[in-house]
């Protein structure tokens, strides 16, 4: 019985990983509360997942805080640009949905707007991952992330499905927000790191 709960045993290893995921998700939530800092917080989360959870390097809190500070300006500019695109597409989707309900001919563009919205959400996730892993100006991050999203549509679809499933999970059980951000980032990194290796 003692070996099951041994600090180096498999059970405790899983418990520690779950605890780390919860702590990182809470950190991400706290640092994302002023909506302006979502970009820096998401980039810091990706850095921490990649370095600490996937590679076992460093300390989670220190890695997160250092990454947040180091990437703050660039990731905030990237986030504001992505947010403008997301807001514009959301407005288009809402207007076109009303047109569909009113049987307006332009309502046929509704599904195209939905697809573009999905691409924009996936591109935004790529932006944070790219900013976490590579140097460059905000403009370079936006351009390179868009290229990677469009150049690998199957993997981009995988990233979108992860985000979509996470959104559904949080709507179904809001308490899952305590672990979903880190879990999503971990799953996304498994897809995105393969894309990064190809370029």
């Amino acid at each position: 019985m003692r070996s099951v709960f041994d600090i180096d045993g498999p059970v405790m290893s899983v418990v520690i990983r779950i605890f780390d995921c919860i702590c990182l998700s809470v950190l991400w939530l706290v640092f994302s509360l002023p909506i302006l800092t979502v970009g820096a917080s998401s980039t810091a989360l990706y850095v921490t997942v990649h370095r600490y959870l996937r590679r076992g390097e460093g300390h989670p809190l220190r890695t997160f805080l250092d990454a947040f500070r180091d990437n703050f300006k660039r990731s905030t500019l990237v986030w504001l640009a992505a947010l403008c695109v997301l807001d514009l597409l959301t407005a288009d989707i809402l207007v076109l949905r009303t047109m569909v309900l009113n049987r307006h001919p332009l309502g046929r563009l509704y599904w195209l707007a939905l697809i573009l919205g999905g691409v924009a959400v996936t591109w935004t996730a790529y932006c944070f991952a790219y900013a976490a892993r590579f140097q460059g100006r905000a403009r370079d991050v936006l351009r390179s992330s868009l290229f990677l999203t469009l150049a690998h549509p199957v993997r981009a679809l995988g990233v979108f499905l992860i985000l979509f499933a996470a959104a559904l999970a949080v709507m179904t059980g809001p308490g899952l927000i305590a672990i979903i951000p880190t879990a999503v980032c971990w799953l996304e990194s498994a897809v995105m790191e393969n894309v990064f290796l190809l370029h």
Side-chain angles (χ1 to χ4, degrees):
M1 196 67 166
R2 181 176 293 174
S3 63
V4 173
F5 295 103
D6 183 43
I7 195 71
D8 295 320
V11 173
M12 287 306 292
S13 179
V14 169
V15 169
I16 289 168
R17 282 291 184 217
I18 291 171
F19 180 74
D20 286 339
C21 286
I22 292 170
C23 289
L24 287 173
S25 292
V26 170
L27 264 177
W28 178 81
L29 282 168
V30 168
F31 278 78
S32 295
L33 282 178
I35 300 300
L36 269 163
T37 60
V38 167
S41 185
S42 297
T43 300
L45 180 62
Y46 193 94
V47 169
T48 310
V49 166
H50 178 71
R51 289 186 189 164
Y52 176 73
L53 290 179
R54 289 176 62 87
R55 296 168 62 181
E57 299 173 0
H59 183 274
L61 179 60
R62 194 176 309 115
T63 302
F64 185 94
L65 294 176
D66 288 347
F68 184 87
R69 184 189 66 242
D70 295 343
N71 293 289
F72 182 80
K73 183 179 177 182
R74 183 175 58 144
S75 293
T76 300
L77 291 173
V78 167
W79 165 239
L80 291 176
L83 187 60
C84 288
V85 172
L86 292 169
D87 284 346
L88 183 62
L89 284 169
T90 300
D92 287 344
I93 288 167
L94 293 174
V95 169
L96 289 169
R97 184 174 178 274
T98 303
M99 289 181 172
V100 168
L101 295 174
N102 292 328
R103 300 183 185 279
H104 192 282
L106 286 177
R108 287 177 287 192
L109 296 174
Y110 176 67
W111 294 106
L112 175 62
L114 277 180
I115 291 168
L116 289 175
V119 171
V121 167
T122 306
W123 165 66
T124 303
Y126 263 99
C127 284
F128 300 142
Y130 192 91
R133 297 284 283 117
F134 302 102
Q135 297 299 314
R137 294 171 295 181
R139 182 174 51 195
D140 299 327
V141 172
L142 293 165
R143 187 172 52 240
S144 297
S145 299
L146 182 60
F147 168 75
L148 292 175
T149 303
L150 298 177
H152 301 277
V154 174
R155 288 188 169 103
L157 179 61
V159 171
F160 175 76
L161 291 175
I162 291 167
L163 293 166
F164 185 71
L168 287 179
V170 170
M171 285 189 285
T172 305
L176 292 172
I177 194 71
I179 196 165
I180 287 285
T182 304
V184 165
C185 194
W186 200 337
L187 291 170
E188 282 179 348
S189 70
V191 176
M192 292 175 178
E193 289 303 315
N194 288 327
V195 172
F196 295 153
L197 285 172
L198 296 172
H199 294 276

